[in-house]
Amino acid sequence: MSLDEQTSKECEIKPLQDSTTENVRRVAIIGSGIAGLCAALSLGERGVPSIIIEKEHELGGLCAQLSCKGVERCVRCDVCLARDKIKLVRDSPGVEIIKDAEVMALEGRPGDFILRLTKSSQLLELKVGAVICSVGAIPFHPQSDRRLGYGEVADVITSLEMEKGLASSGRILVPSTAKEPSSLAFVQCVGSRDDRLRASYCSSYCCKSSFKLAQAVKTRVPACSVTFFYMDLRLQDPRENIRLWASLQENVELIRSRPSEILRGEDGRPLVRFVREDESIVEERSFDLVVLATGLRPVTNARKLSAALGIELDAFGFISTSTYDRWCSSRAGVFVAGSCAGPKDIVASAEDGAAAASRAIALLEGRS
Amino acid sequence: MSDECVYVMVCSWAGGERPPFQVQELVEYAAGLKGVAAAFLIPRLCKSEGREQARALLKNSKANRVVLVGCHDSGFRAEFAKLMEGSGLSPYGLEIANVRELAAYIHPPEAALRKAKAMMAAAVEKMRAWNPPPTFLEGRTLRRVAVIGSGLTATLASRELVAQGLEVEVIVPKNQISTPPSYIFADEKEMKRGHSTLKELEAKVKVLWGKRVIRCEGVPGDFELEMESAEGISRARYGAIILAPEPCLELRDLEGRPVQESRMANSNHISIVVLPGGRSSGTDCSCISPRATLFALKAKANASNLSISLLGRELRAMGKMEALQRQAQCLGVTFYRLQGEVHWQGSGPYEISFQDSLLGPIRLKADLVLRDSITNAEAEELARIFKLPLDDKGDILRMDSRLRPGETVRAGILACRYRLGNMLFEDLEREAAAAAARAAELLKGNARREGALAQVDKEKCSACLSCVRICPYSAPRIGEGGKAEVIPELCQGCGACAPLCPSRAIAMHMDTEEQIYAQTRALLRCLG
C-alpha cells in the first residue's frame, strides 16, 4: 500500500463478505468519545472489528477538548488517558472510522442490522451485527440561566472554556484584560440540580473537575485567590480531599452557597451576589474571573438519533436503558455506553465502553 | 553485537518553533556515523503524518534498531515502539535523544549543536551495543477464570464472565454468599435483578465453598491457586483471577453490628439516627450517602411510624440518584447538615447532640443509632495473599492511572473496587462488568508475553536471595541448581534487582553495562 493510502484512517466502505455464521461480526459504534473509544479497543482486543461513526471532524468528543490540570504532580484528571485512547484507536487495525457522518436509520434484527448514514450528502449503508450508542453529552448552555450573566457580563466563562484555554495556551487569562487573574470564583451546579431548568439530576463530574481546575489555578497563578461556591462537595473518589487542600493553600475559600446572580460591577468586573448558608445577609463580591461549572445535558440531536435508532429516551432526554441490563437500550441489539445514558465522569464512561463491548460480543457469539 | 543496522530519524521541528541550528546538519552528521545505515529528516514525528512516514521507511527496510532525535519521551516511546513492532522490528530497539530540551533550549546555538551531535552519537553507540531480548513467548492460556469473593460483586462478575464464554469458578471463603441489604438497590427492578443473579449462581458456575486462597503463583494465562478448607489443601489452575472482596454494605449500629432491616418494621415506635462514617470509616467520612438515604426511604415506606434522621456535612448522590433526597423528605425523613462533631450519651435509647449549620444546636433522642461506614476486611487479606498494594483507603490499588478498568499492578489479576461513586448496586455492576471485560480481553487467544527483561548470569549468582526479596512482581526465584532465575513472563523490567545484586549477576536487557559504556565513551569522544 502506498503512503497515501496508509495515511488516511478514514475507510471506504468495503462490502462485507457474507459470514458463515448468521450474525454479522462487526459492531457499529456511534460517537468517538471516551466510551466509544474504549468500546472499540475492548472489541479489538477480543478480535471483533468495529466501525466508529463520528458526527464531527475530530475524534475524542468532550474529553479531547479538556486540558491536563497537573503541574508539579498528576491530579488524576484522566484527560491524557482519554487522549491516549484516540491514538490507540487510530493505530488499531480492527477499527474503522467514518467522520462527518450522521446516523439516519437502523433496520434489521440483532445480529444482522443495516445502519444507514449520511456523509457529505452521500448515503451509506453498513452491515453490522450490533450497535453501541455512545454519543456522549454536551455542556449546559449557561445562556439558558440568565441570572448568571454569561454573555452579558464580561469575564464570566464556562469550565469548558477554561479547559480549552489551558489546553491551547497553558495559561489562565482573564478574557477582557488578557492578564492572569488575581481573584477567581468557581460556581458549581450550573445547569445541574435545578428543577427550573429541567435538570434535577447531578452531573456527577463537575465537583471533581472544578477541584482539579482549582489546583491548576493555584499552581500556575499562586497569588490568585480562589473562591469555590458549591452546594455539596461530591468528589467521587474518597481519596480526594478538597477541604484539606483548601486549608493548606493561601487564599482559597470554600463557600457553601448557590449564588443568586452575577452582575456587572461598577468596576466592570463580574460581581457575585450570594447568601451564605448560615447567615441571612446578602453578600456581594467581585472577581477578575468567574468560572461556571456547567453540567451535562443530552446531545442536541438526541431525539433525531433516538428516532433513527428506534430507541427510547428517558424523562431528561438521556438514552433510556433497559430494566434488565444497564447497558442495553430499549431495542435489542443496540447497546449504550457513557454519558449519553446519564451524566458520568471519564472513568465510568471508559468502564461503560468495556461493558457494552462485552454485551455486543455476547450477542454476536449467540450467548444472549 | 549482532549485525546492527541503525536508522536515525531526526524530527524537523516543524510547527511554530524554529530550531536554533540547522537540523539538516544533524542528519548529515548521523549519516556519517559508524553503524548508521540511513538517516532521515522527518517532519513532526509526534503527529500521524510523521509516524506514517517513519512506518513506511521502516517497513521492508533492513533497519533493526532506531534512534529518534527530537524531544522528550512522554508516552511517545510506547507508541513508536508499537509502530516499530508493526514494521517488523523489535520494539525494544529504540533510543530517543532529547536534543530539544537538553541541548537546544538551554545552550547558545553553537554549543547546542555540538551537544546535540554528541547526544546523537552516544545514542547510536548505545544502540549498536544493544542485543534484542527474547520476547513474545507463547504459553498456555487457560480460558478459565477464578472469581474470589463472598458476595454480590463476585456473583455479578461471574455472570459477566459466563456471558463472555469463559469457564468460571467462584471461590467463596465462607459457606454462603452474603445477601446484600435492600438499600443498595435504587429500585425494585434492580433488586430483582440482583437477587435473581444470586439465585442462579450455582446453576451457571462451579462454586468452591468454604475455600480460602493461601498462595498464588504462575503467570497470566496460567496461574496456580493453592486453597485450604476443612477438607485440606487443594490446587487449581486459572487463566486470570478476579478479586471481588465484598464490602460490608449494611449500616451498622454503634457496636458494629449490621442492622436488621426486619427488626424495624416490627417495633411500635423507633427513632433512628444515622451518622456518617467518621474518619476511620471507609466512606467519605462526613457525608449522607445514597445508601443511607435509600435505607431511610425503604424503612419509612415499610413502617411509616418510624422517625428517621440523617446527619452529614455533604449530601452525596451523583447522577440520577439526586432525586433520592426529595423522595425521602416527602416521606418524612429529616436531613440535618452537620457542622462539627456528633456527641451521644446513653446506650439505647441515646441522646444525640450536634450542631446543624442552619438551625444551631440540636438534641435528638434515638432508640437506634447507626453508622454509615463501609469496611472490607476481605480486601486486606486478599491484597496480602496476592501481594498487591493497598491504596490509602484500604482498597486494593487499581491502575486507574492508566484508565485500564479492573487492572491491578499484577498482570492477569483483576480487582473490583467498591469505594466509588454512589456505592450502590449500579457501581458494583459496573465494576464487575469492567473486570470481566478485561479478563475476556486477556484470555483471547494465546497470552502474549513480553519478557526476559532481567536475566541472571548463573555463573556469577551467589544465591543470596536479594533479588527474590526485592522484586515486587515475584519474578525471581531459586531454580534447580540452587541459582536464581527470573521468570520471564512475570518480569516487568523495573530494574530493581539489577543494581542490588552484590555479585553483579543480573543484567537488564535494556541499558546493559556494555551499552552504557559505549554511550559514555561516545559522549566523551565527541565532547572531549
Side-chain angles (χ1 to χ4, degrees):
Chain A
M1 228 192 281
S2 78
L3 187 58
D4 296 303
E5 285 168 286
Q6 267 183 318
T7 311
S8 165
K9 230 338 187 149
E10 290 205 39
C11 66
E12 16 158 318
I13 314 301
K14 310 179 193 113
L16 270 178
Q17 40 208 141
D18 274 341
S19 43
T20 50
T21 63
E22 282 173 29
N23 293 332
V24 176
R25 201 171 160 75
R26 185 165 76 166
V27 180
I29 299 173
I30 307 174
S32 69
I34 185 67
L37 295 172
C38 287
L41 289 170
S42 191
L43 288 166
E45 294 255 3
R46 295 186 253 181
V48 177
S50 58
I51 176 160
I52 298 181
I53 297 144
E54 170 54 54
K55 192 168 62 120
E56 306 294 334
H57 192 67
E58 302 300 328
L59 298 180
L62 211 48
C63 293
Q65 301 171 51
L66 305 177
S67 167
C68 166
K69 292 174 267 297
V71 185
E72 300 151 343
R73 56 176 186 85
C74 172
V75 294
R76 286 195 296 243
C77 67
D78 300 325
V79 169
C80 56
L81 307 168
R83 288 185 198 241
D84 283 350
K85 299 293 180 187
I86 304 178
K87 294 187 203 168
L88 284 172
V89 158
R90 281 215 204 95
D91 288 336
S92 243
V95 184
E96 295 177 57
I97 303 174
I98 308 183
K99 294 193 247 184
D100 307 299
E102 253 192 271
V103 170
M104 302 307 291
L106 181 68
E107 290 152 17
R109 60 157 185 89
D112 195 358
F113 284 118
I114 298 213
L115 184 66
R116 294 187 202 281
L117 326 166
T118 46
K119 181 186 159 84
S120 356
S121 15
Q122 240 200 315
L123 279 167
L124 299 171
E125 265 184 30
L126 298 177
K127 250 175 110 59
V128 294
V131 177
I132 296 178
C133 182
S134 50
V135 296
I138 50 169
F140 168 71
H141 291 299
Q143 297 99 317
S144 309
D145 194 352
R146 304 288 308 276
R147 308 170 299 131
L148 299 177
Y150 182 83
E152 287 165 15
V153 179
D155 304 327
V156 175
I157 64 173
T158 65
S159 51
L160 183 60
E161 285 166 346
M162 187 181 201
E163 296 258 7
K164 285 185 185 171
L166 251 181
S168 62
S169 69
R171 305 191 67 200
I172 298 161
L173 299 172
V174 178
S176 60
T177 61
K179 293 207 188 90
E180 290 180 330
S182 59
S183 60
L184 190 153
F186 285 96
V187 176
Q188 298 301 111
C189 302
V190 174
S192 309
R193 302 186 72 182
D194 201 328
D195 278 348
R196 282 180 312 134
L197 301 166
R198 270 171 300 188
S200 47
Y201 50 82
C202 161
S203 289
S204 201
Y205 83 99
C206 356
C207 278
K208 153 178 167 175
S209 170
S210 293
F211 175 32
K212 293 169 206 263
L213 273 171
Q215 288 176 291
V217 170
K218 283 308 279 182
T219 323
R220 284 163 210 257
V221 196
C224 182
S225 76
V226 173
T227 311
F228 210 82
F229 291 100
Y230 68 97
M231 288 171 64
D232 288 282
L233 292 172
R234 297 178 171 179
L235 294 171
Q236 291 269 7
D237 188 338
R239 291 173 290 179
E240 308 269 357
N241 192 335
I242 188 174
R243 284 185 200 278
L244 180 62
W245 173 78
S247 66
L248 296 170
Q249 300 295 316
E250 302 261 324
N251 300 325
V252 173
E253 201 182 342
L254 308 178
I255 302 182
R256 192 191 303 277
S257 171
R258 191 168 212 177
S260 60
E261 271 186 285
I262 301 177
L263 312 161
R264 186 179 183 279
E266 276 176 15
D267 56 1
R269 296 189 305 150
L271 180 84
V272 177
R273 188 176 273 170
F274 64 99
V275 180
R276 287 176 194 267
E277 62 176 324
D278 49 357
E279 287 162 21
S280 50
I281 317 164
V282 175
E283 279 188 57
E284 288 182 347
R285 214 188 272 189
S286 290
F287 299 92
D288 290 344
L289 184 61
V290 173
V291 182
L292 305 177
T294 44
L296 291 173
R297 292 246 128 166
V299 291
T300 22
N301 64 337
R303 271 190 217 292
K304 194 168 157 212
L305 185 70
S306 83
L309 291 176
I311 59 180
E312 284 164 23
L313 301 178
D314 70 10
F316 299 117
F318 291 108
I319 296 179
S320 185
T321 54
S322 146
T323 53
Y324 300 105
D325 191 295
R326 198 174 301 282
W327 295 280
C328 293
S329 72
S330 56
R331 178 176 179 175
V334 180
F335 304 104
V336 193
S339 48
C340 60
K344 42 182 78 79
D345 61 359
I346 295 178
V347 177
S349 299
E351 294 179 333
D352 263 17
S358 290
R359 272 135 186 85
I361 291 179
L363 170 68
L364 296 184
E365 297 182 352
R367 275 188 305 270
S368 75
Chain B
M1 211 182 295
S2 40
D3 45 354
E4 75 265 14
C5 175
V6 185
Y7 266 34
V8 177
M9 298 190 180
V10 182
C11 182
S12 74
W13 241 279
E17 278 175 49
R18 296 194 55 196
F21 45 74
Q22 284 286 27
V23 265
Q24 189 59 36
E25 257 201 77
L26 276 181
V27 179
E28 282 157 15
Y29 181 73
L33 290 171
K34 185 170 177 195
V36 174
F40 306 95
L41 187 62
I42 302 197
R44 305 220 77 185
L45 262 171
C46 54
K47 298 289 175 197
S48 53
E49 316 95 70
R51 278 207 307 277
E52 291 310 316
Q53 237 188 293
R55 195 196 306 270
L57 287 167
L58 289 175
K59 207 156 193 165
N60 304 321
S61 73
K62 291 214 190 70
N64 54 25
R65 55 206 78 192
V66 175
V67 170
L68 292 183
V69 182
C71 62
H72 63 282
D73 188 323
S74 108
F76 180 63
R77 174 181 288 272
E79 243 183 274
F80 202 85
K82 216 172 161 197
L83 186 159
M84 285 172 61
E85 204 186 316
S87 309
L89 285 83
S90 165
Y92 297 101
L94 173 64
E95 181 73 11
I96 301 182
N98 181 2
V99 302
R100 240 197 214 192
E101 280 159 9
L102 300 182
Y105 286 175
I106 50 179
H107 298 295
E110 216 178 281
L113 178 60
R114 198 159 150 250
K115 184 172 176 181
K117 283 180 178 172
M119 286 175 70
M120 201 166 56
V124 167
E125 279 302 301
K126 186 177 175 190
M127 286 325 292
R128 287 187 65 216
W130 169 79
N131 285 315
T135 55
F136 313 126
L137 311 156
E138 294 295 327
R140 196 157 71 134
T141 305
L142 298 165
R143 288 184 52 87
R144 181 164 59 238
V145 182
V147 179
I148 305 175
S150 59
L152 187 54
T153 319
T155 318
L156 291 167
S158 56
R159 181 186 76 180
E160 291 282 326
L161 290 165
V162 166
Q164 296 309 296
L166 294 164
E167 195 189 322
V168 185
E169 280 183 13
V170 182
I171 302 171
V172 184
K174 305 191 179 135
N175 283 314
Q176 59 183 39
I177 297 272
S178 53
T179 342
S182 71
Y183 41 88
I184 62 156
F185 301 105
D187 54 38
E188 282 300 311
K189 292 165 187 161
E190 274 196 1
M191 186 146 64
K192 268 176 86 176
R193 192 156 86 228
H195 285 291
S196 70
T197 311
L198 285 167
K199 261 200 299 215
E200 292 162 10
L201 175 66
E202 284 185 277
K204 302 212 157 144
V205 300
K206 184 167 165 201
V207 184
L208 305 177
W209 297 105
K211 288 205 191 251
R212 195 169 289 275
V213 175
I214 51 175
R215 207 172 49 90
C216 169
E217 294 210 347
V219 298
D222 194 357
F223 285 109
E224 183 185 75
L225 291 184
E226 194 172 288
M227 299 169 262
E228 75 175 358
S229 68
E231 290 90 43
I233 306 269
S234 58
R235 288 184 189 83
R237 304 195 85 95
Y238 304 95
I241 299 167
I242 295 185
L243 304 177
E246 193 72 4
C248 175
L249 292 161
E250 280 100 346
L251 301 183
R252 312 222 227 168
D253 64 21
L254 292 174
E255 278 77 51
R257 291 178 304 225
V259 69
Q260 304 289 340
E261 285 182 84
S262 51
R263 185 178 145 197
M264 290 172 298
N266 290 334
S267 58
N268 279 333
H269 178 83
I270 277 198
S271 54
I272 306 178
V273 171
V274 183
L275 308 178
R279 223 164 282 284
S280 57
S281 87
T283 60
D284 183 354
C285 55
S286 56
C287 73
I288 299 175
S289 70
R291 262 180 342 128
T293 313
L294 275 169
F295 163 81
L297 253 174
K298 298 197 179 194
K300 226 21 196 153
N302 285 334
S304 54
N305 58 344
L306 282 175
S307 138
I308 307 189
S309 307
L310 303 177
L311 275 58
R313 191 162 55 180
E314 310 297 329
L315 201 51
R316 237 172 98 97
M318 265 81 71
K320 297 179 194 174
M321 287 289 109
E322 170 71 25
L324 280 183
Q325 286 92 24
R326 181 81 55 79
Q327 280 177 47
Q329 281 175 331
C330 291
L331 281 183
V333 176
T334 316
F335 290 76
Y336 289 100
R337 198 172 291 274
L338 186 62
Q339 227 173 30
E341 296 294 312
V342 182
H343 301 282
W344 61 86
Q345 280 180 325
S347 52
Y350 302 86
E351 206 177 272
I352 318 272
S353 52
F354 58 94
Q355 187 97 357
D356 177 281
S357 62
L358 271 176
L359 302 172
I362 305 272
R363 269 208 156 77
L364 292 178
K365 281 202 167 48
D367 298 309
L368 183 61
V369 176
L370 301 176
R371 289 205 91 111
D372 178 11
S373 62
I374 292 192
T375 53
N376 194 332
E378 276 186 14
E380 222 180 287
E381 193 185 317
L382 283 175
R384 195 174 43 81
I385 292 173
F386 285 86
K387 298 188 202 147
L388 294 171
L390 293 172
D391 66 20
D392 48 7
K393 285 281 176 177
D395 206 346
I396 295 176
L397 185 72
R398 281 222 334 215
M399 301 304 283
D400 299 337
S401 60
R402 296 222 209 116
L403 215 63
R404 301 284 289 247
E407 287 194 358
T408 63
V409 296
R410 280 184 76 175
I413 302 182
L414 307 159
C416 295
R417 185 180 50 155
Y418 60 88
R419 236 190 284 274
L420 70 156
N422 287 323
M423 293 181 233
L424 297 176
F425 180 62
E426 171 180 347
D427 306 288
L428 298 183
E429 270 197 316
R430 185 169 285 118
E431 282 297 293
R438 189 71 195 126
E441 288 170 20
L442 289 171
L443 299 181
K444 174 76 193 176
N446 275 330
R448 226 180 57 163
R449 294 173 193 150
E450 308 186 322
L453 296 177
Q455 191 157 38
V456 177
D457 182 344
K458 299 203 180 182
E459 303 277 299
K460 295 184 183 162
C461 172
S462 53
C464 68
L465 293 178
S466 300
C467 57
V468 175
R469 282 192 277 261
I470 193 116
C471 178
Y473 306 103
S474 311
R477 61 161 189 209
I478 302 292
E480 296 168 17
K483 299 289 182 136
E485 58 190 23
V486 174
I487 303 173
E489 296 94 329
L490 293 178
C491 174
Q492 304 289 318
C494 74
C497 55
L500 193 71
C501 174
S503 316
R504 295 179 61 193
I506 303 184
M508 302 301 297
H509 277 275
M510 305 296 294
D511 306 332
T512 60
E513 269 192 28
E514 210 194 319
Q515 281 184 283
I516 306 285
Y517 281 139
Q519 191 179 19
T520 319
R521 275 195 298 264
L523 259 179
L524 293 172
R525 246 200 325 266
C526 288
L527 296 172

